[in-house]
Amino acid sequence: MAGVNKVILVGNLGKDPEVRHLESGSVVANVTLATTEAYKDRNGNRVENTEWHDLEMWDGQAKVAEQYLRKGSQIFVEGKIKSDTWQDEQGNNRKKMRIRVLSFTMLGSRTGAENGGAPQGNPNTMNQGSPAPQTSASMPSSGVDMDNVEDDLPF
Amino acid sequence: MAGVNKVILVGNLGKDPEVRHLESGSVVANVTLATTEAYKDRNGNRVENTEWHDLEMWDGQAKVAEQYLRKGSQIFVEGKIKSDTWQDEQGNNRKKMRIRVLSFTMLGSRTGAENGGAPQGNPNTMNQGSPAPQTSASMPSSGVDMDNVEDDLPF
Amino acid sequence: MAGVNKVILVGNLGKDPEVRHLESGSVVANVTLATTEAYKDRNGNRVENTEWHDLEMWDGQAKVAEQYLRKGSQIFVEGKIKSDTWQDEQGNNRKKMRIRVLSFTMLGSRTGAENGGAPQGNPNTMNQGSPAPQTSASMPSSGVDMDNVEDDLPF
Amino acid sequence: MAGVNKVILVGNLGKDPEVRHLESGSVVANVTLATTEAYKDRNGNRVENTEWHDLEMWDGQAKVAEQYLRKGSQIFVEGKIKSDTWQDEQGNNRKKMRIRVLSFTMLGSRTGAENGGAPQGNPNTMNQGSPAPQTSASMPSSGVDMDNVEDDLPF
DNA sequence: TTTT
DNA sequence: TTTT
C-alpha cells in the first residue's frame, strides 16, 4: 500500500493551548493555528486568506506546548492528517479533521529583549475586530531544550 | 504574517475521479485518496490504518485526472488544506476540509490499462536518447506532458 | 518521468546575501543557511549539529533577499536540489550541490532592524481590519508584498 | 535555534544498492536516485532534466534496501541533507553532500504479474545510450512488511 | 472506497 | 558563517 500522509505548516497560534491531563497519565494539547497566504486579486489588490488548523499534540509535546506556546506564537509544524468520524444526533455521518503533530519547532524567538523592551507597535490597534492571532511579548526565550519537539505514538 | 500550508500525500484513489465541467468553463475533479500506514501494535500484530482524503483539482489538472486517473491509481500529491465553512439546516456551524491539489504525479507504471482505462500511446517513441529515467512501457500519456501536473489558482 | 525533488529548510543566514546583477538583467542572490539540530548523546549531553546550505535565488526573490535578508535572518525555504558538475584543473569530475530556492518566507519578527538592515515601514497602516495573523510591529516590508516570495524559472 | 532540514524525493534507482556490512555490525546502503523533471523550453519543446542524488541508508533500512530495491525501483524518500567535509590531497577544502534517508517507501509494485509476465515494452530499446535507470521486472511484490521503512540514528 |  |  505504501502511503505518505504529511502536513507542513508555519503559522501563529490563535489562542493559548488548551491542555488536558488525562486520567491515564497522557497529556493532550489542542492548538489552533492560522496560516495566512497573500495574493493579488485581478485588480492588483492584496488579498489575505487565512486557514485555521486544529492541531493535536500529545504527552511530551503537549507539555512543551503548555509551558512555552501562547496565543500568537509562531511555530513550524510537521504532522499528519487524522480524522475522526462519528454519527451526530440526527444519525448523520460526521467527520472532523485534525492535524496530529509529529514535531514542532518554535520560530522567531529573540522577541524584543534586545531593543530594551520597547513595545513593537501597538498590538491593540492592529487587526481591529480580527479573529487573528498576534505576536505578543510572551514568546519564550527559554534556554530550555525544546527547540524541536517530537513524539511517537504508534498511530 | 508569513504562512506555510503544505500537504504531501502518496496513496491510491478510492474510485474514479468525479469530474464536473462548469458553465464558467472551469473543470473540477473530486478525488478520494487513501493513505495507509501500517504499524505493529503492542502484541506485535500488524495493524493498518487508512485515512481518506478529499482532493480537489482544477482545470488542467482536472482534465488530466479525468483522462488518466482511475480507481486504484497511485499518485503523489502536493497541495494545501482548504476548508469550507457554512451553516447547516439546524444553524450549526459546519466545516469541511479538502486538499486543494497544487500538483500531482502519477506513480508506478501501468496506470489502469488493465481496467479499460487510459490509452497507453506508444512509449517507444518517447524520450528517445534521453538521459531521463522511465518507467517501463506503460507510462500513460505518451507524448502528452502530464507527468507532473501543476495548477495556479490565486487561492 | 514523474520525479519529485523537494527541499524544506528553516534556518538562519550565515551572512548577508551576496547579490550579483547580471548583464542579462537577471539578478542572483547567494545565501548560506544554517540548519541546526540538537540531540542528546548517549551520555545525555546536548549536542548540536549544524548543516550549512548554499542557496541560490533569482530575480524577484533575489531582490527581496537583497533588500530584506541579513546575516542572522531566519527563513523558511522551499526549493530543490540542483547540482553543477565540471572538471577541475586535474581533470577530476567535480560536483557542487546547491538549493535552488522556489519560495521563501521570512520568519519571526524584527528581521534585522537592529543591525541597520531593512527599513521597517509603518506597520500601523498594514492590513487594517484584516483577518490575517500578523507578527507584531516589525514585519519587514510593510506595504510591500514579499511575505512569501516565489519564482518560476523553467529549471 | 530551531532548524528544519528536510528532503522529499520521488525517483528511480540508478543501480542496485551498494551495501556494506561494517565490523561494528552496522549496515550501510548507498543508493543513487534520479529525479527527473520535464518542462517546455521557449520553443515549446519538451525538455527533461535529471538530478542524481546520493542516498545513504543505515541498518534496518539498509537491509530492506539490499533485499528489495533494485536498479529502476521507484521510491519515495524522506531524509535530510548531510555533508561531509575534508581536505583533499592538494589541501583544498572539499565537501560532499548526501541525503541521509530517514524513511522510504516503495512505489508502484504490482509490476506486471497480472498481465501474464509479458514484458512491458522493450527496455533495451528505451533510453538508448542513457545513464538512466529503467523500471524492469525486478520490483518486489513481497508480502513482507517493509512498506515504510524508518530509521532513527541520533544524527 | 484504495492498496499490500 | 547563523541561531539558542
Coordinates of all heavy atoms in Angstrom, one line a residue, chain A residues 10-12 34-36 46 74, chain B residues 1-4, chain C residues 105-108 133 135 139 147-148:
Chain A
V10 N 3.5 26.5 8.8 CA 4.1 27.6 9.5 C 3.0 28.6 9.8 O 2.4 29.1 8.8 CB 5.3 28.2 8.8 CG1 5.8 29.5 9.6 CG2 6.4 27.3 8.6
G11 N 2.8 28.9 11.0 CA 1.7 29.9 11.3 C 1.7 30.3 12.8 O 2.7 30.0 13.5
N12 N 0.7 31.0 13.2 CA 0.6 31.5 14.5 C -0.6 31.0 15.3 O -1.6 30.8 14.7 CB 0.5 33.1 14.4 CG 1.6 33.7 13.7 OD1 2.7 34.0 14.3 ND2 1.5 33.9 12.4
A34 N -3.2 29.4 12.6 CA -3.6 30.2 11.4 C -2.4 30.2 10.4 O -1.3 30.6 10.8 CB -3.9 31.6 11.8
T35 N -2.7 29.8 9.2 CA -1.7 30.0 8.1 C -2.4 31.0 7.1 O -3.5 30.8 6.7 CB -1.4 28.7 7.4 OG1 -2.6 28.1 6.9 CG2 -0.7 27.7 8.3
T36 N -1.7 32.0 6.9 CA -2.2 33.1 6.0 C -1.4 33.2 4.7 O -0.2 33.1 4.7 CB -2.1 34.4 6.7 OG1 -2.9 34.3 7.9 CG2 -2.7 35.5 5.9
R46 N -4.0 43.5 -2.8 CA -3.5 42.5 -2.0 C -4.7 41.9 -1.2 O -5.5 42.6 -0.5 CB -2.5 43.0 -1.0 CG -1.9 42.0 -0.1 CD -1.0 42.7 1.0 NE -0.8 41.8 2.1 CZ 0.4 41.2 2.3 NH1 1.3 41.2 1.4 NH2 0.6 40.4 3.3
Q74 N 4.6 31.8 16.9 CA 4.8 31.3 15.6 C 5.6 30.0 15.6 O 6.6 29.9 16.3 CB 5.6 32.3 14.7 CG 5.7 31.9 13.3 CD 6.6 32.9 12.5 OE1 7.7 33.3 13.0 NE2 6.3 33.1 11.2
Chain B
M1 N 3.0 38.3 8.1 CA 2.3 37.1 8.6 C 3.0 35.8 8.2 O 3.4 35.0 9.0 CB 0.9 37.0 8.2 CG 0.7 37.5 6.8 SD 0.8 36.2 5.5 CE 2.5 35.8 5.4
A2 N 3.3 35.6 6.9 CA 4.2 34.6 6.5 C 3.7 33.2 6.9 O 4.2 32.6 7.9 CB 5.5 34.8 7.2
G3 N 2.8 32.6 6.1 CA 2.3 31.3 6.4 C 2.8 30.2 5.5 O 3.1 30.5 4.3
V4 N 2.8 29.0 5.9 CA 3.0 27.9 5.1 C 1.9 26.8 5.3 O 1.7 26.5 6.5 CB 4.4 27.2 5.3 CG1 4.6 25.9 4.5 CG2 5.5 28.2 5.0
Chain C
T105 N 10.0 32.4 3.0 CA 9.2 33.2 3.8 C 10.0 33.6 5.0 O 10.8 32.8 5.6 CB 8.1 32.3 4.4 OG1 7.2 31.9 3.3 CG2 7.2 33.0 5.4
M106 N 10.0 34.9 5.3 CA 10.7 35.4 6.5 C 10.0 35.0 7.8 O 8.7 35.1 7.8 CB 10.9 36.9 6.4 CG 11.6 37.3 5.1 SD 11.9 39.0 5.0 CE 12.9 39.2 6.5
L107 N 10.7 34.6 8.7 CA 10.1 34.2 10.0 C 10.4 35.1 11.1 O 11.3 35.9 11.0 CB 10.6 32.8 10.4 CG 10.3 31.7 9.3 CD1 11.0 30.4 9.7 CD2 8.8 31.5 9.1
G108 N 9.6 35.0 12.2 CA 9.8 35.8 13.3 C 9.5 37.2 13.0 O 8.9 37.6 12.0
P133 N -3.3 36.9 10.5 CA -2.4 37.0 11.6 C -1.3 38.0 11.3 O -0.9 38.1 10.1 CB -1.8 35.6 11.8 CG -1.9 35.0 10.5 CD -3.1 35.6 9.8
T135 N 2.7 39.3 12.6 CA 3.7 39.4 13.6 C 3.6 40.8 14.1 O 3.1 41.7 13.4 CB 5.1 39.2 13.0 OG1 5.2 40.0 11.9 CG2 5.3 37.7 12.6
M139 N 7.3 43.5 11.2 CA 7.4 42.8 9.9 C 8.0 43.7 8.9 O 7.6 44.8 8.6 CB 6.0 42.4 9.4 CG 6.0 41.3 8.4 SD 6.7 39.8 9.1 CE 7.1 39.0 7.5
D147 N 5.9 38.6 1.7 CA 5.9 37.6 2.7 C 6.4 36.3 2.2 O 7.2 35.6 2.8 CB 4.5 37.4 3.3 CG 4.0 38.7 3.9 OD1 4.8 39.4 4.5 OD2 2.8 39.0 3.8
N148 N 5.8 35.9 1.1 CA 6.1 34.6 0.6 C 6.5 34.8 -0.9 O 5.7 35.2 -1.7 CB 4.9 33.7 0.6 CG 5.2 32.3 0.5 OD1 5.7 31.9 -0.6 ND2 5.0 31.5 1.5

